[in-house]
Amino acid sequence: MSRLIIVSNRVAPISEGGPAAGGLAVGVYDALKETGGMWFGWSGDVLASGQPQIALEERGPVTFATIGLLRRDYDQYYRGFSNATLWPAFHYRADLVQYDRHEYEGYSRVNAWLAQQLVPLLREDDVIWVHDYHLIPFAQALRAAGVKNRIGFFLHIPFPASQVLLAVPPHRELVQALCAFDLLGFQTRPDLRAFCDYIVNEAGGTTALQPDGLTRIEAFGQTLCAGDYPIGVYPDEIAELARAGERGKPVRTLKSTLHGRKVIMSVDRLDYSKGLVERFRAFERLLDHTPAQRNKVSFVQIAPPTRADLHAYQDIRLRLEAESGRINGRYAELDWTPIWYIHRQYERAVLAALFRASNVGYVTPLRDGMNLVAKEYVSAQDPEDPGVLVLSRFAGAAQELSGALIVNPLDIDGMADALGTALSMPLAERLARYQDMMAQLRENNVSVWRDRFMRDLGRVSVRQASLPPLERAQG
Ligand code: ADQ
């Protein structure tokens, strides 16, 4: 069996029992253990000077290969082009895109440098699977170094409509770089369609749906395949964690503080793409329009800050603090706090238990590739007495979870109505919606996601074997 080589910006921290994080890390680590292989990426260290060296750590059949970044590389590749240019553009926030040509050069340079670090560790029949927007030029860099292995790419975030992508000055180079992969995976059909639209209308290429369901793409002198692979979770494992935590301290504390009030729960990284301001306002609107809900429900928002060294993230943090303070000031009573806004990280088991203890999962991003929290919330519910998911139509998860109350996060009244409906939904309807969504989550769990991608990557023809890579890339 070929070894699997995973390349991602960060390598998930792995403890004895497996990854501490959920979703992707668990699914990918499982595959690595089965086939043997390597996980390569940034260690998370930022070095002031010197020459970063790869650290190799063996854990059974899996090798973790990590490397630090120099401060300038971190600033240009990670903080700059990845998170201040690509992230907002791919989340349809052209207004927040900051572009600096030097940062883009840094992004390309770091991709090439990382690829050069990986090359000596590769074997001829390794299959390489690259993850996410930080590493779009990675295959092109490997090909330039003469690597002929199969290389797949999965984009965890949305792929934007062409008119939005055009806001990123080197859009053409980026799409050309994507065409150096053998297989491209997107979270949803709309993302795949947006990519195909760019190929046809901006790049002058062609796309064709094949009988095997993959889309064959010809552009920039390259031939490759693309498909949609919605990422999943392990719903039964989350259900078990949630059940086990039902009597644990966090849930007991929550319940004793609430005194029988209902709870609406949200968990996100603190990011402007997650629609937190609109969400807070819709909760306020619910209290405004439905006095009977006052003092009867609390909204718990767990949102640990991320990327705190970027202005846009400092801004959203300040806005949320202002909003939660304003709304609590307006409605709180001596014995009731409407919004609990908590800036911290919780263990997976604690989150699962909190999801199960809440009546509504409130997941309303303005844009999201998938949103695993929506899937985790449903998975964690009590099968006899499940809560209701209120879900943004702009989360990839909305393509699958039709049992949720689907909302438009810009429609504040609509979201307030959905919260009201969720809080008063009869058991029979909650059960029907939950069962429908659980069936979907089981059918497309994270190993199905991974296996479909790996199967298709194994199937696409390895065109690079017969063609000189550099000439093709320039074609
Ligand atoms: P994210 O934008 O990080 O991921 P999401 O899919 O919701 O978004 O995944 C977050 C993960 O972190 C979940 O497993 C969640 O439980 C966990 N998490 C969030 N807040 C936490 C907290 N306070 N404490 C502990 N854990 C917390 C990107 C894309 C998504 C896509 C995923 C996977 O932006 O659209 O679904 O990758 O492909």
Side-chain angles (χ1 to χ4, degrees), residues 3-6 37-41 53-58 63-67 114-126 128 142 147 149:
R3 283 194 319 173
L4 173 61
I5 310 294
I6 298 289
M38 186 187 299
W39 196 329
F40 172 77
Q53 300 293 326
I54 292 192
L56 295 177
E57 191 192 333
E58 309 276 341
T63 304
F64 292 89
T66 54
I67 190 159
L114 286 171
Q116 282 154 16
Q117 302 300 310
L118 179 62
V119 169
L121 305 176
L122 291 176
R123 298 181 195 153
E124 214 166 78
D125 64 343
D126 284 344
I128 305 167
L142 285 178
V147 170
N149 303 50

PDB file of all heavy atoms in Angstrom, residues 3-6 37-41 53-58 63-67 114-126 128 142 147 149:
ATOM      1  N   ARG A   3       2.249   4.909   0.850  1.00  0.00           N
ATOM      2  CA  ARG A   3       2.168   5.754   2.050  1.00  0.00           C
ATOM      3  C   ARG A   3       1.330   6.984   1.742  1.00  0.00           C
ATOM      4  O   ARG A   3       1.322   7.471   0.614  1.00  0.00           O
ATOM      5  CB  ARG A   3       3.555   6.264   2.451  1.00  0.00           C
ATOM      6  CG  ARG A   3       4.441   5.299   3.144  1.00  0.00           C
ATOM      7  CD  ARG A   3       5.628   6.008   3.793  1.00  0.00           C
ATOM      8  NE  ARG A   3       6.225   7.060   2.970  1.00  0.00           N
ATOM      9  CZ  ARG A   3       7.167   7.895   3.388  1.00  0.00           C
ATOM     10  NH1 ARG A   3       7.614   7.833   4.635  1.00  0.00           N
ATOM     11  NH2 ARG A   3       7.685   8.829   2.597  1.00  0.00           N
ATOM     12  N   LEU A   4       0.687   7.501   2.771  1.00  0.00           N
ATOM     13  CA  LEU A   4      -0.066   8.749   2.623  1.00  0.00           C
ATOM     14  C   LEU A   4       0.773   9.871   3.247  1.00  0.00           C
ATOM     15  O   LEU A   4       1.277   9.731   4.357  1.00  0.00           O
ATOM     16  CB  LEU A   4      -1.411   8.619   3.345  1.00  0.00           C
ATOM     17  CG  LEU A   4      -2.264   9.876   3.442  1.00  0.00           C
ATOM     18  CD1 LEU A   4      -2.643  10.401   2.059  1.00  0.00           C
ATOM     19  CD2 LEU A   4      -3.539   9.582   4.246  1.00  0.00           C
ATOM     20  N   ILE A   5       0.899  10.964   2.510  1.00  0.00           N
ATOM     21  CA  ILE A   5       1.612  12.132   3.047  1.00  0.00           C
ATOM     22  C   ILE A   5       0.598  13.265   3.153  1.00  0.00           C
ATOM     23  O   ILE A   5       0.052  13.714   2.148  1.00  0.00           O
ATOM     24  CB  ILE A   5       2.755  12.582   2.099  1.00  0.00           C
ATOM     25  CG1 ILE A   5       3.651  11.414   1.697  1.00  0.00           C
ATOM     26  CG2 ILE A   5       3.550  13.733   2.720  1.00  0.00           C
ATOM     27  CD1 ILE A   5       4.451  10.794   2.799  1.00  0.00           C
ATOM     28  N   ILE A   6       0.327  13.695   4.362  1.00  0.00           N
ATOM     29  CA  ILE A   6      -0.589  14.824   4.568  1.00  0.00           C
ATOM     30  C   ILE A   6       0.248  16.092   4.717  1.00  0.00           C
ATOM     31  O   ILE A   6       1.225  16.108   5.479  1.00  0.00           O
ATOM     32  CB  ILE A   6      -1.424  14.632   5.856  1.00  0.00           C
ATOM     33  CG1 ILE A   6      -2.288  13.379   5.769  1.00  0.00           C
ATOM     34  CG2 ILE A   6      -2.262  15.866   6.169  1.00  0.00           C
ATOM     35  CD1 ILE A   6      -3.445  13.469   4.818  1.00  0.00           C
ATOM     36  N   GLY A  37       2.458   6.628   7.135  1.00  0.00           N
ATOM     37  CA  GLY A  37       2.721   7.837   6.369  1.00  0.00           C
ATOM     38  C   GLY A  37       3.226   8.968   7.224  1.00  0.00           C
ATOM     39  O   GLY A  37       3.738   8.752   8.329  1.00  0.00           O
ATOM     40  N   MET A  38       3.035  10.150   6.697  1.00  0.00           N
ATOM     41  CA  MET A  38       3.670  11.305   7.303  1.00  0.00           C
ATOM     42  C   MET A  38       2.718  12.489   7.308  1.00  0.00           C
ATOM     43  O   MET A  38       1.908  12.648   6.401  1.00  0.00           O
ATOM     44  CB  MET A  38       4.893  11.659   6.454  1.00  0.00           C
ATOM     45  CG  MET A  38       5.741  12.748   7.035  1.00  0.00           C
ATOM     46  SD  MET A  38       7.033  13.227   5.895  1.00  0.00           S
ATOM     47  CE  MET A  38       7.929  11.738   5.728  1.00  0.00           C
ATOM     48  N   TRP A  39       2.823  13.312   8.354  1.00  0.00           N
ATOM     49  CA  TRP A  39       2.075  14.563   8.407  1.00  0.00           C
ATOM     50  C   TRP A  39       3.109  15.678   8.461  1.00  0.00           C
ATOM     51  O   TRP A  39       3.912  15.735   9.386  1.00  0.00           O
ATOM     52  CB  TRP A  39       1.174  14.590   9.635  1.00  0.00           C
ATOM     53  CG  TRP A  39       0.122  15.649   9.561  1.00  0.00           C
ATOM     54  CD1 TRP A  39       0.205  16.851   8.934  1.00  0.00           C
ATOM     55  CD2 TRP A  39      -1.186  15.589  10.135  1.00  0.00           C
ATOM     56  NE1 TRP A  39      -0.963  17.546   9.070  1.00  0.00           N
ATOM     57  CE2 TRP A  39      -1.837  16.790   9.806  1.00  0.00           C
ATOM     58  CE3 TRP A  39      -1.859  14.631  10.903  1.00  0.00           C
ATOM     59  CZ2 TRP A  39      -3.128  17.067  10.234  1.00  0.00           C
ATOM     60  CZ3 TRP A  39      -3.146  14.909  11.331  1.00  0.00           C
ATOM     61  CH2 TRP A  39      -3.776  16.121  10.978  1.00  0.00           C
ATOM     62  N   PHE A  40       3.088  16.521   7.437  1.00  0.00           N
ATOM     63  CA  PHE A  40       4.123  17.541   7.288  1.00  0.00           C
ATOM     64  C   PHE A  40       3.505  18.928   7.364  1.00  0.00           C
ATOM     65  O   PHE A  40       2.486  19.197   6.708  1.00  0.00           O
ATOM     66  CB  PHE A  40       4.808  17.351   5.923  1.00  0.00           C
ATOM     67  CG  PHE A  40       5.771  18.447   5.554  1.00  0.00           C
ATOM     68  CD1 PHE A  40       7.034  18.512   6.130  1.00  0.00           C
ATOM     69  CD2 PHE A  40       5.420  19.427   4.633  1.00  0.00           C
ATOM     70  CE1 PHE A  40       7.929  19.531   5.792  1.00  0.00           C
ATOM     71  CE2 PHE A  40       6.300  20.450   4.291  1.00  0.00           C
ATOM     72  CZ  PHE A  40       7.562  20.499   4.881  1.00  0.00           C
ATOM     73  N   GLY A  41       4.139  19.819   8.114  1.00  0.00           N
ATOM     74  CA  GLY A  41       3.643  21.202   8.153  1.00  0.00           C
ATOM     75  C   GLY A  41       4.379  22.032   9.189  1.00  0.00           C
ATOM     76  O   GLY A  41       5.356  21.587   9.809  1.00  0.00           O
ATOM     77  N   GLN A  53      14.849  23.980  10.970  1.00  0.00           N
ATOM     78  CA  GLN A  53      15.163  22.585  10.634  1.00  0.00           C
ATOM     79  C   GLN A  53      13.930  21.725  10.879  1.00  0.00           C
ATOM     80  O   GLN A  53      13.200  21.954  11.833  1.00  0.00           O
ATOM     81  CB  GLN A  53      16.279  22.051  11.552  1.00  0.00           C
ATOM     82  CG  GLN A  53      17.593  22.815  11.456  1.00  0.00           C
ATOM     83  CD  GLN A  53      18.271  22.655  10.091  1.00  0.00           C
ATOM     84  OE1 GLN A  53      18.174  21.589   9.476  1.00  0.00           O
ATOM     85  NE2 GLN A  53      18.917  23.711   9.617  1.00  0.00           N
ATOM     86  N   ILE A  54      13.751  20.716  10.042  1.00  0.00           N
ATOM     87  CA  ILE A  54      12.620  19.797  10.231  1.00  0.00           C
ATOM     88  C   ILE A  54      12.856  18.943  11.472  1.00  0.00           C
ATOM     89  O   ILE A  54      13.952  18.425  11.665  1.00  0.00           O
ATOM     90  CB  ILE A  54      12.464  18.859   9.021  1.00  0.00           C
ATOM     91  CG1 ILE A  54      12.014  19.651   7.801  1.00  0.00           C
ATOM     92  CG2 ILE A  54      11.490  17.732   9.315  1.00  0.00           C
ATOM     93  CD1 ILE A  54      11.552  18.802   6.648  1.00  0.00           C
ATOM     94  N   ALA A  55      11.815  18.815  12.308  1.00  0.00           N
ATOM     95  CA  ALA A  55      11.879  17.877  13.431  1.00  0.00           C
ATOM     96  C   ALA A  55      11.020  16.674  13.063  1.00  0.00           C
ATOM     97  O   ALA A  55       9.874  16.844  12.621  1.00  0.00           O
ATOM     98  CB  ALA A  55      11.348  18.545  14.685  1.00  0.00           C
ATOM     99  N   LEU A  56      11.564  15.475  13.215  1.00  0.00           N
ATOM    100  CA  LEU A  56      10.804  14.264  12.876  1.00  0.00           C
ATOM    101  C   LEU A  56      10.455  13.541  14.167  1.00  0.00           C
ATOM    102  O   LEU A  56      11.297  13.356  15.039  1.00  0.00           O
ATOM    103  CB  LEU A  56      11.648  13.332  11.996  1.00  0.00           C
ATOM    104  CG  LEU A  56      12.010  13.869  10.611  1.00  0.00           C
ATOM    105  CD1 LEU A  56      12.899  12.896   9.883  1.00  0.00           C
ATOM    106  CD2 LEU A  56      10.746  14.127   9.785  1.00  0.00           C
ATOM    107  N   GLU A  57       9.194  13.153  14.272  1.00  0.00           N
ATOM    108  CA  GLU A  57       8.788  12.393  15.448  1.00  0.00           C
ATOM    109  C   GLU A  57       7.978  11.201  14.976  1.00  0.00           C
ATOM    110  O   GLU A  57       6.984  11.358  14.260  1.00  0.00           O
ATOM    111  CB  GLU A  57       7.932  13.298  16.347  1.00  0.00           C
ATOM    112  CG  GLU A  57       7.696  12.694  17.694  1.00  0.00           C
ATOM    113  CD  GLU A  57       6.615  13.434  18.481  1.00  0.00           C
ATOM    114  OE1 GLU A  57       6.416  14.651  18.235  1.00  0.00           O
ATOM    115  OE2 GLU A  57       5.956  12.770  19.308  1.00  0.00           O
ATOM    116  N   GLU A  58       8.410  10.007  15.368  1.00  0.00           N
ATOM    117  CA  GLU A  58       7.711   8.792  14.924  1.00  0.00           C
ATOM    118  C   GLU A  58       6.687   8.410  15.988  1.00  0.00           C
ATOM    119  O   GLU A  58       7.013   8.373  17.164  1.00  0.00           O
ATOM    120  CB  GLU A  58       8.694   7.615  14.796  1.00  0.00           C
ATOM    121  CG  GLU A  58       9.933   7.898  13.983  1.00  0.00           C
ATOM    122  CD  GLU A  58       9.700   7.723  12.495  1.00  0.00           C
ATOM    123  OE1 GLU A  58       8.716   7.051  12.127  1.00  0.00           O
ATOM    124  OE2 GLU A  58      10.502   8.279  11.706  1.00  0.00           O
ATOM    125  N   THR A  63       4.793   9.375  10.900  1.00  0.00           N
ATOM    126  CA  THR A  63       5.889  10.307  11.186  1.00  0.00           C
ATOM    127  C   THR A  63       5.329  11.718  11.158  1.00  0.00           C
ATOM    128  O   THR A  63       4.637  12.094  10.205  1.00  0.00           O
ATOM    129  CB  THR A  63       6.984  10.202  10.089  1.00  0.00           C
ATOM    130  OG1 THR A  63       7.402   8.852  10.023  1.00  0.00           O
ATOM    131  CG2 THR A  63       8.162  11.100  10.404  1.00  0.00           C
ATOM    132  N   PHE A  64       5.615  12.489  12.196  1.00  0.00           N
ATOM    133  CA  PHE A  64       5.236  13.902  12.197  1.00  0.00           C
ATOM    134  C   PHE A  64       6.475  14.703  11.828  1.00  0.00           C
ATOM    135  O   PHE A  64       7.506  14.593  12.496  1.00  0.00           O
ATOM    136  CB  PHE A  64       4.715  14.316  13.574  1.00  0.00           C
ATOM    137  CG  PHE A  64       3.404  13.657  13.878  1.00  0.00           C
ATOM    138  CD1 PHE A  64       3.360  12.415  14.488  1.00  0.00           C
ATOM    139  CD2 PHE A  64       2.223  14.252  13.500  1.00  0.00           C
ATOM    140  CE1 PHE A  64       2.156  11.783  14.721  1.00  0.00           C
ATOM    141  CE2 PHE A  64       1.004  13.629  13.728  1.00  0.00           C
ATOM    142  CZ  PHE A  64       0.971  12.386  14.337  1.00  0.00           C
ATOM    143  N   ALA A  65       6.377  15.455  10.749  1.00  0.00           N
ATOM    144  CA  ALA A  65       7.514  16.240  10.282  1.00  0.00           C
ATOM    145  C   ALA A  65       7.114  17.702  10.378  1.00  0.00           C
ATOM    146  O   ALA A  65       6.242  18.167   9.638  1.00  0.00           O
ATOM    147  CB  ALA A  65       7.851  15.873   8.842  1.00  0.00           C
ATOM    148  N   THR A  66       7.719  18.424  11.310  1.00  0.00           N
ATOM    149  CA  THR A  66       7.298  19.818  11.513  1.00  0.00           C
ATOM    150  C   THR A  66       8.502  20.743  11.411  1.00  0.00           C
ATOM    151  O   THR A  66       9.635  20.346  11.673  1.00  0.00           O
ATOM    152  CB  THR A  66       6.634  20.000  12.895  1.00  0.00           C
ATOM    153  OG1 THR A  66       7.525  19.519  13.898  1.00  0.00           O
ATOM    154  CG2 THR A  66       5.314  19.260  12.978  1.00  0.00           C
ATOM    155  N   ILE A  67       8.207  21.971  11.049  1.00  0.00           N
ATOM    156  CA  ILE A  67       9.285  22.946  10.866  1.00  0.00           C
ATOM    157  C   ILE A  67       8.796  24.331  11.288  1.00  0.00           C
ATOM    158  O   ILE A  67       7.607  24.654  11.106  1.00  0.00           O
ATOM    159  CB  ILE A  67       9.769  22.920   9.391  1.00  0.00           C
ATOM    160  CG1 ILE A  67      11.051  23.732   9.219  1.00  0.00           C
ATOM    161  CG2 ILE A  67       8.694  23.412   8.405  1.00  0.00           C
ATOM    162  CD1 ILE A  67      11.847  23.360   7.973  1.00  0.00           C
ATOM    163  N   LEU A 114       8.788  25.200   1.583  1.00  0.00           N
ATOM    164  CA  LEU A 114       8.216  24.037   2.281  1.00  0.00           C
ATOM    165  C   LEU A 114       8.274  22.810   1.374  1.00  0.00           C
ATOM    166  O   LEU A 114       8.597  21.704   1.820  1.00  0.00           O
ATOM    167  CB  LEU A 114       6.771  24.314   2.708  1.00  0.00           C
ATOM    168  CG  LEU A 114       6.586  25.268   3.898  1.00  0.00           C
ATOM    169  CD1 LEU A 114       5.107  25.636   4.063  1.00  0.00           C
ATOM    170  CD2 LEU A 114       7.115  24.642   5.194  1.00  0.00           C
ATOM    171  N   ALA A 115       7.955  23.001   0.098  1.00  0.00           N
ATOM    172  CA  ALA A 115       7.988  21.872  -0.844  1.00  0.00           C
ATOM    173  C   ALA A 115       9.407  21.302  -0.922  1.00  0.00           C
ATOM    174  O   ALA A 115       9.603  20.078  -0.881  1.00  0.00           O
ATOM    175  CB  ALA A 115       7.506  22.325  -2.217  1.00  0.00           C
ATOM    176  N   GLN A 116      10.397  22.188  -0.967  1.00  0.00           N
ATOM    177  CA  GLN A 116      11.791  21.697  -1.027  1.00  0.00           C
ATOM    178  C   GLN A 116      12.170  20.920   0.233  1.00  0.00           C
ATOM    179  O   GLN A 116      12.952  19.979   0.182  1.00  0.00           O
ATOM    180  CB  GLN A 116      12.766  22.868  -1.192  1.00  0.00           C
ATOM    181  CG  GLN A 116      12.830  23.388  -2.611  1.00  0.00           C
ATOM    182  CD  GLN A 116      13.243  24.851  -2.656  1.00  0.00           C
ATOM    183  OE1 GLN A 116      13.753  25.402  -1.674  1.00  0.00           O
ATOM    184  NE2 GLN A 116      12.997  25.481  -3.793  1.00  0.00           N
ATOM    185  N   GLN A 117      11.607  21.323   1.366  1.00  0.00           N
ATOM    186  CA  GLN A 117      11.890  20.598   2.610  1.00  0.00           C
ATOM    187  C   GLN A 117      11.296  19.197   2.565  1.00  0.00           C
ATOM    188  O   GLN A 117      11.848  18.257   3.109  1.00  0.00           O
ATOM    189  CB  GLN A 117      11.309  21.340   3.835  1.00  0.00           C
ATOM    190  CG  GLN A 117      11.798  22.751   4.028  1.00  0.00           C
ATOM    191  CD  GLN A 117      13.300  22.810   4.203  1.00  0.00           C
ATOM    192  OE1 GLN A 117      13.873  22.084   5.006  1.00  0.00           O
ATOM    193  NE2 GLN A 117      13.949  23.646   3.407  1.00  0.00           N
ATOM    194  N   LEU A 118      10.141  19.087   1.907  1.00  0.00           N
ATOM    195  CA  LEU A 118       9.455  17.791   1.881  1.00  0.00           C
ATOM    196  C   LEU A 118      10.108  16.812   0.901  1.00  0.00           C
ATOM    197  O   LEU A 118      10.143  15.606   1.156  1.00  0.00           O
ATOM    198  CB  LEU A 118       7.966  18.005   1.508  1.00  0.00           C
ATOM    199  CG  LEU A 118       7.108  16.740   1.415  1.00  0.00           C
ATOM    200  CD1 LEU A 118       7.041  16.025   2.779  1.00  0.00           C
ATOM    201  CD2 LEU A 118       5.684  17.064   0.956  1.00  0.00           C
ATOM    202  N   VAL A 119      10.620  17.335  -0.211  1.00  0.00           N
ATOM    203  CA  VAL A 119      11.094  16.455  -1.299  1.00  0.00           C
ATOM    204  C   VAL A 119      12.018  15.330  -0.818  1.00  0.00           C
ATOM    205  O   VAL A 119      11.781  14.162  -1.144  1.00  0.00           O
ATOM    206  CB  VAL A 119      11.750  17.292  -2.431  1.00  0.00           C
ATOM    207  CG1 VAL A 119      12.478  16.400  -3.421  1.00  0.00           C
ATOM    208  CG2 VAL A 119      10.678  18.102  -3.151  1.00  0.00           C
ATOM    209  N   PRO A 120      13.047  15.609  -0.008  1.00  0.00           N
ATOM    210  CA  PRO A 120      13.943  14.506   0.368  1.00  0.00           C
ATOM    211  C   PRO A 120      13.267  13.423   1.211  1.00  0.00           C
ATOM    212  O   PRO A 120      13.805  12.323   1.340  1.00  0.00           O
ATOM    213  CB  PRO A 120      15.033  15.200   1.200  1.00  0.00           C
ATOM    214  CG  PRO A 120      14.827  16.653   1.061  1.00  0.00           C
ATOM    215  CD  PRO A 120      13.465  16.897   0.542  1.00  0.00           C
ATOM    216  N   LEU A 121      12.107  13.742   1.773  1.00  0.00           N
ATOM    217  CA  LEU A 121      11.427  12.761   2.623  1.00  0.00           C
ATOM    218  C   LEU A 121      10.472  11.867   1.826  1.00  0.00           C
ATOM    219  O   LEU A 121       9.885  10.941   2.362  1.00  0.00           O
ATOM    220  CB  LEU A 121      10.619  13.480   3.719  1.00  0.00           C
ATOM    221  CG  LEU A 121      11.392  14.469   4.600  1.00  0.00           C
ATOM    222  CD1 LEU A 121      10.447  15.175   5.563  1.00  0.00           C
ATOM    223  CD2 LEU A 121      12.464  13.710   5.388  1.00  0.00           C
ATOM    224  N   LEU A 122      10.291  12.190   0.523  1.00  0.00           N
ATOM    225  CA  LEU A 122       9.280  11.484  -0.270  1.00  0.00           C
ATOM    226  C   LEU A 122       9.825  10.205  -0.896  1.00  0.00           C
ATOM    227  O   LEU A 122      10.995  10.122  -1.257  1.00  0.00           O
ATOM    228  CB  LEU A 122       8.775  12.395  -1.400  1.00  0.00           C
ATOM    229  CG  LEU A 122       7.929  13.597  -0.990  1.00  0.00           C
ATOM    230  CD1 LEU A 122       7.600  14.450  -2.214  1.00  0.00           C
ATOM    231  CD2 LEU A 122       6.648  13.136  -0.298  1.00  0.00           C
ATOM    232  N   ARG A 123       8.902   9.204  -1.040  1.00  0.00           N
ATOM    233  CA  ARG A 123       9.216   8.000  -1.806  1.00  0.00           C
ATOM    234  C   ARG A 123       8.385   8.016  -3.078  1.00  0.00           C
ATOM    235  O   ARG A 123       7.338   8.672  -3.127  1.00  0.00           O
ATOM    236  CB  ARG A 123       8.861   6.752  -1.002  1.00  0.00           C
ATOM    237  CG  ARG A 123       9.650   6.655   0.277  1.00  0.00           C
ATOM    238  CD  ARG A 123       9.260   5.381   1.003  1.00  0.00           C
ATOM    239  NE  ARG A 123       9.729   5.428   2.374  1.00  0.00           N
ATOM    240  CZ  ARG A 123       9.157   4.770   3.371  1.00  0.00           C
ATOM    241  NH1 ARG A 123       8.105   3.998   3.138  1.00  0.00           N
ATOM    242  NH2 ARG A 123       9.636   4.868   4.597  1.00  0.00           N
ATOM    243  N   GLU A 124       8.827   7.205  -4.038  1.00  0.00           N
ATOM    244  CA  GLU A 124       8.231   7.267  -5.374  1.00  0.00           C
ATOM    245  C   GLU A 124       6.718   7.021  -5.391  1.00  0.00           C
ATOM    246  O   GLU A 124       5.991   7.667  -6.136  1.00  0.00           O
ATOM    247  CB  GLU A 124       8.912   6.221  -6.256  1.00  0.00           C
ATOM    248  CG  GLU A 124       9.041   6.636  -7.693  1.00  0.00           C
ATOM    249  CD  GLU A 124      10.013   5.718  -8.404  1.00  0.00           C
ATOM    250  OE1 GLU A 124       9.587   4.600  -8.739  1.00  0.00           O
ATOM    251  OE2 GLU A 124      11.181   6.121  -8.583  1.00  0.00           O
ATOM    252  N   ASP A 125       6.249   6.070  -4.556  1.00  0.00           N
ATOM    253  CA  ASP A 125       4.819   5.745  -4.653  1.00  0.00           C
ATOM    254  C   ASP A 125       3.984   6.412  -3.560  1.00  0.00           C
ATOM    255  O   ASP A 125       2.839   6.038  -3.344  1.00  0.00           O
ATOM    256  CB  ASP A 125       4.611   4.222  -4.668  1.00  0.00           C
ATOM    257  CG  ASP A 125       5.054   3.597  -3.363  1.00  0.00           C
ATOM    258  OD1 ASP A 125       5.808   4.272  -2.606  1.00  0.00           O
ATOM    259  OD2 ASP A 125       4.643   2.466  -3.072  1.00  0.00           O
ATOM    260  N   ASP A 126       4.528   7.394  -2.878  1.00  0.00           N
ATOM    261  CA  ASP A 126       3.727   8.126  -1.883  1.00  0.00           C
ATOM    262  C   ASP A 126       2.563   8.849  -2.566  1.00  0.00           C
ATOM    263  O   ASP A 126       2.708   9.352  -3.684  1.00  0.00           O
ATOM    264  CB  ASP A 126       4.571   9.204  -1.194  1.00  0.00           C
ATOM    265  CG  ASP A 126       5.540   8.628  -0.164  1.00  0.00           C
ATOM    266  OD1 ASP A 126       5.359   7.460   0.237  1.00  0.00           O
ATOM    267  OD2 ASP A 126       6.472   9.364   0.229  1.00  0.00           O
ATOM    268  N   ILE A 128       0.199  12.126  -2.044  1.00  0.00           N
ATOM    269  CA  ILE A 128       0.311  13.369  -1.260  1.00  0.00           C
ATOM    270  C   ILE A 128      -1.040  14.076  -1.233  1.00  0.00           C
ATOM    271  O   ILE A 128      -1.669  14.272  -2.280  1.00  0.00           O
ATOM    272  CB  ILE A 128       1.383  14.296  -1.892  1.00  0.00           C
ATOM    273  CG1 ILE A 128       2.707  13.532  -2.002  1.00  0.00           C
ATOM    274  CG2 ILE A 128       1.557  15.575  -1.072  1.00  0.00           C
ATOM    275  CD1 ILE A 128       3.738  14.228  -2.872  1.00  0.00           C
ATOM    276  N   LEU A 142       6.134  21.445  -5.970  1.00  0.00           N
ATOM    277  CA  LEU A 142       6.653  20.072  -5.990  1.00  0.00           C
ATOM    278  C   LEU A 142       6.969  19.637  -7.421  1.00  0.00           C
ATOM    279  O   LEU A 142       7.980  18.995  -7.680  1.00  0.00           O
ATOM    280  CB  LEU A 142       5.646  19.095  -5.384  1.00  0.00           C
ATOM    281  CG  LEU A 142       5.498  19.097  -3.864  1.00  0.00           C
ATOM    282  CD1 LEU A 142       4.406  18.104  -3.449  1.00  0.00           C
ATOM    283  CD2 LEU A 142       6.808  18.720  -3.158  1.00  0.00           C
ATOM    284  N   VAL A 147       8.851  16.317  -8.713  1.00  0.00           N
ATOM    285  CA  VAL A 147       8.037  15.288  -8.066  1.00  0.00           C
ATOM    286  C   VAL A 147       6.916  14.831  -9.003  1.00  0.00           C
ATOM    287  O   VAL A 147       6.207  15.665  -9.577  1.00  0.00           O
ATOM    288  CB  VAL A 147       7.450  15.844  -6.744  1.00  0.00           C
ATOM    289  CG1 VAL A 147       6.415  14.902  -6.155  1.00  0.00           C
ATOM    290  CG2 VAL A 147       8.573  16.107  -5.757  1.00  0.00           C
ATOM    291  N   ASN A 149       4.624  12.273  -8.108  1.00  0.00           N
ATOM    292  CA  ASN A 149       3.596  11.522  -7.365  1.00  0.00           C
ATOM    293  C   ASN A 149       2.202  12.103  -7.594  1.00  0.00           C
ATOM    294  O   ASN A 149       2.061  13.229  -8.056  1.00  0.00           O
ATOM    295  CB  ASN A 149       3.891  11.596  -5.868  1.00  0.00           C
ATOM    296  CG  ASN A 149       5.269  11.081  -5.530  1.00  0.00           C
ATOM    297  OD1 ASN A 149       6.236  11.480  -6.135  1.00  0.00           O
ATOM    298  ND2 ASN A 149       5.341  10.205  -4.564  1.00  0.00           N
TER     299      ASN A 149
END
